[in-house]
């Protein structure tokens, strides 16, 4: 069921939601969170489609905020709010409200969204494109417990990673990080099968794909080793090679679907490692609403430090990790949480010193 409202208010939108639920015979609200999508007209369809598919796992109220650009000074002075309310089959497993903001109301989107949030429910804010440099300080970002961006869609993804690191606030995350969850899980499982010391690593993938840098920074941060980032034709991430004192461990994926895990002394194994759709990525992020400390640690490691030796440029040994420091690396619910304990055993608990393509 769809209800179109022109030149409306948040109060009228709430009434339309109640009337829509009654009309389809489901007056009760059974949603677990509010998902706020901040996008433009061009990307709204794809983002809403992904959110509707994710709502089958996480029933939610989805608020799509589209800030329309007014071409003349007169139009910019006239504030107007148009809305499209969707309930039932047209809104997946929840409710959808598409908000189009015109004129001066564009600068006060949070005032429009705030009355439409589900009471006593978490709020997740997602920018599919054109994310602010500091999501936590954005007026809409302040409403959310989690703030999801996607540096893959940035004009300069690597520079965007550095900006995200400088402005990081607990609760921030990025879909470029979510894309590498299966890679981290597979690498953690491979490392737990052998008792070897990892001495270096190389991560290969498409140019301008921030997931490659994030995976390299995660390995460098958790293992305390030098990690090289190399370029391939893709698609996405293509291989990770870990050099150990027992021989190399290689996880390679040439076709974007099926990968091969090669461990010295063991037969090669084919593993499923397909590239996931946006709906799967956003559904994974909605499963976890607490801060992702592992992402924060990898992000703050710094792209410019990739390739450094574990002992630093001067050759001095790296300081040992604090005894009470958490050893486990959380892989977003996957097996990669076991990578850090294995890494600590093989590296003596040492850490390094502080210092556009298809989706992965």
């Amino acid at each position: 069921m769809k209800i179109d409202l022109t030149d409306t208010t948040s109060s009228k939108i709430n009434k339309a939601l109640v009337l829509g639920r009654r009309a389809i015979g489901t007056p009760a609200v059974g949603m677990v969170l509010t998902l706020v999508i901040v996008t433009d007209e061009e990307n709204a369809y794809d983002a809403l489609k992904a959110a509707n598919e994710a709502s089958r796992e996480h029933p939610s109220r989805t608020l799509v905020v589209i800030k329309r650009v007014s071409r003349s000074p007169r139009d910019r002075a006239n504030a107007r709010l148009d809305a499209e309310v969707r309930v039932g089959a047209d809104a997946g497993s929840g409710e959808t409200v598409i908000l189009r903001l015109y004129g001066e109301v564009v600068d006060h989107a949070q005032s429009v969204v705030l009355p439409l949030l589900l009471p006593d429910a978490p709020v997740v804010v997602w920018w599919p494109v054109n994310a602010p440099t500091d999501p936590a300080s954005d007026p809409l970002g302040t409403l959310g417990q989690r703030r999801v961006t996607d540096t893959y869609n940035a004009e300069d993804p690597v520079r965007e990673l550095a900006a995200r690191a400088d402005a990081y606030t607990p609760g921030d995350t990025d879909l470029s990080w979510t894309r590498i969850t299966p890679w981290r899980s597979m690498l953690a499982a491979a490392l737990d099968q052998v008792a070897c010391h990892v001495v270096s690593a190389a991560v290969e993938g498409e140019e301008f794909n921030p997931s490659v840098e994030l995976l390299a920074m995660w390995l460098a941060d958790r293992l305390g080793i030098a990690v090289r980032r190399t370029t391939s034709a893709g698609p996405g991430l293509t291989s990770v090679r870990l050099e150990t004192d027992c021989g190399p461990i290689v996880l390679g994926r040439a076709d974007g679907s099926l990968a091969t895990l090669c461990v010295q002394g063991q037969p090669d194994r084919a593993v499923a490692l397909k590239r996931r759709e946006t709906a799967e990525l956003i559904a994974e992020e909605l499963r976890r609403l607490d801060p992702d400390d592992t992402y924060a640690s990898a992000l703050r490691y710094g792209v410019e430090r990739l390739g450094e030796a574990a002992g630093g440029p001067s050759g001095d040994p790296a300081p040992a990790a604090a005894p009470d420091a958490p050893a486990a690396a959380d892989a977003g619910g996957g097996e990669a949480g076991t990578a850090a304990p294995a890494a600590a055993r093989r590296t003596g608990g040492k850490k390094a010193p502080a210092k556009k393509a298809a989706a992965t």
Side-chain angles (χ1 to χ4, degrees):
M1 180 178 182
K2 297 182 181 180
I3 304 173
D4 289 322
L5 302 173
T6 303
D7 197 6
T8 186
T9 64
S10 297
S11 176
K12 293 178 181 178
I13 294 172
N14 268 319
K15 291 179 181 178
L17 285 168
V18 174
L19 293 175
R21 288 197 298 269
R22 289 177 178 173
I24 63 175
T26 56
V29 179
M31 289 159 287
V32 298
L33 58 88
T34 304
L35 176 61
V36 181
I37 304 174
V38 187
T39 184
D40 54 23
E41 202 71 64
E42 179 182 359
N43 296 279
Y45 174 82
D46 291 335
L48 185 55
K49 181 181 177 182
N52 284 342
E53 292 180 13
S55 72
R56 305 181 193 280
E57 182 178 339
H58 309 278
S60 59
R61 174 175 290 179
T62 303
L63 307 177
V64 184
V65 180
I66 302 174
K67 300 179 181 181
R68 299 296 297 267
V69 177
S70 300
R71 293 181 172 83
S72 67
R74 183 176 57 231
D75 290 339
R76 288 193 290 271
N78 295 326
R80 191 174 97 239
L81 170 64
D82 294 344
E84 180 182 330
V85 178
R86 301 180 183 179
V87 293
D90 294 314
S93 298
E95 300 172 341
T96 298
V97 181
I98 302 176
L99 304 167
R100 290 182 171 86
L101 283 58
Y102 300 83
E104 294 180 348
V105 75
V106 167
D107 299 325
H108 304 281
Q110 72 280 7
S111 300
V112 176
V113 170
L114 187 59
L116 300 176
L117 302 179
L118 291 172
D120 302 322
V123 179
V124 178
V125 185
W126 174 30
W127 291 268
V129 294
N130 302 324
T133 302
D134 185 358
S137 64
D138 183 85
L140 285 172
T142 59
L143 302 177
Q145 284 77 35
R146 290 300 299 272
R147 295 164 294 277
V148 183
T149 57
D150 193 351
T151 51
Y152 168 75
N153 292 319
E155 185 174 350
D156 189 340
V158 176
R159 183 181 299 176
E160 195 73 13
L161 284 178
R164 290 280 180 272
D166 293 338
Y168 176 81
T169 301
D172 292 352
T173 191
D174 196 276
L175 293 187
S176 294
W177 171 256
T178 315
R179 290 184 180 101
I180 63 174
T181 298
W183 285 83
R184 294 188 292 129
S185 299
M186 195 62 62
L187 291 170
L191 288 174
D192 278 342
Q193 295 175 20
V194 296
C196 299
H197 179 81
V198 183
V199 294
S200 66
V203 180
E204 183 180 69
E206 286 177 319
E207 192 176 5
F208 306 120
N209 192 324
S211 295
V212 183
E213 274 79 12
L214 282 169
L215 182 57
M217 289 189 290
W218 175 71
L219 287 170
D221 179 58
R222 303 309 297 181
L223 297 176
I225 58 174
V227 180
R228 292 184 298 108
R229 197 273 198 224
T230 58
T231 303
S232 71
L237 265 163
T238 52
S239 74
V240 176
R241 182 182 181 90
L242 303 177
E243 298 291 348
T244 76
D245 54 8
C246 302
I249 298 175
V250 181
L251 179 62
R253 185 190 66 181
D255 60 359
S257 177
L258 190 66
T260 302
L261 177 63
C262 305
V263 180
Q264 188 77 15
Q266 300 181 16
D268 294 352
R269 282 164 286 179
V271 294
L273 204 61
K274 73 180 184 71
R275 301 163 72 200
R276 298 183 294 169
E277 301 292 335
T278 304
E280 297 177 73
L281 302 176
I282 198 65
E284 178 182 325
E285 284 302 330
L286 295 180
R287 291 184 204 123
R288 175 176 180 169
L289 299 179
D290 56 320
D292 191 340
D293 296 331
T294 309
Y295 165 69
S297 180
L299 184 66
R300 288 169 172 163
Y301 181 85
V303 178
E304 71 282 353
R305 292 176 57 195
L306 291 179
E308 280 188 8
S314 64
D316 297 330
D324 57 346
D330 189 350
E335 298 90 338
T338 61
R345 293 193 297 270
R346 289 183 284 277
T347 62
K350 295 183 179 180
K351 295 183 67 177
K355 196 184 166 178
K356 281 180 189 169
T360 304

